[in-house]
Amino acid sequence: FSLSETSQTIMPWLEWLTADLDWRTRYRIFVAIRKSAHFFEYAILALLTFRAALSAARRTQLATAGWVALFIVTSLATADEARQAFSPVRTGSPYDILIDIAGGLLAVLGLLVISRRMRPPGQAQPSA
């Protein structure tokens, strides 16, 4: 998924969809697509990790599962960008780590909000 590889796939589609836009605007859209892929893939990772951590817990511990998911997302994002820094065709970026963490954080917060809203009224909150 290097820049040159993804540009060969995505740019022809962008040129077809946005033929009337200048090259600079089209490139900004291309970068936004690439960065949103970071965000969404780490959001999915956070959802799956949250689910795994929650099913491994003895009791329903939403906050603990959330912290575990964020820890794993942060660790993998950092390790992946560090690995990319040593690759001749990729570049590691601390901004990508922040985008990855933001995706994971939004997914975990969304799960926590949804799970608390789905709790029946009068039920005690689970311990953290």
Side-chain angles (χ1 to χ4, degrees):
F1 294 105
S2 66
L3 180 66
S4 62
E5 291 292 321
T6 56
S7 66
Q8 291 176 3
T9 305
I10 297 173
M11 285 305 271
W13 284 97
L14 278 178
E15 289 172 8
W16 180 72
L17 288 170
T18 61
D20 56 339
L21 294 178
D22 62 278
W23 183 86
R24 184 171 287 150
T25 304
R26 210 175 296 139
Y27 183 75
R28 287 183 182 144
I29 294 170
F30 170 69
V31 169
I33 290 170
R34 285 181 47 90
K35 297 307 174 185
S36 66
H38 272 271
F39 184 88
F40 287 112
E41 73 184 57
Y42 279 88
I44 292 169
L45 174 64
L47 295 173
L48 295 173
T49 307
F50 182 90
R51 175 78 170 124
L54 195 58
S55 67
R58 293 180 189 243
R59 305 180 270 166
T60 307
Q61 298 181 352
L62 296 174
T64 302
W67 285 114
V68 167
L70 289 176
F71 175 77
I72 290 176
V73 163
T74 302
S75 299
L76 287 176
T78 304
D80 185 47
E81 292 300 321
R83 181 193 57 81
Q84 288 179 30
F86 295 106
S87 172
V89 293
R90 305 283 307 266
T91 57
S93 169
Y95 297 112
D96 287 349
I97 295 172
L98 293 175
I99 293 169
D100 299 342
I101 292 171
L105 182 62
L106 186 65
V108 167
L109 289 176
L111 277 175
L112 291 174
V113 167
I114 289 169
S115 66
R116 292 188 186 212
R117 287 182 182 243
M118 291 177 58
R119 187 177 310 117
Q123 184 180 4
Q125 291 194 8
S127 62

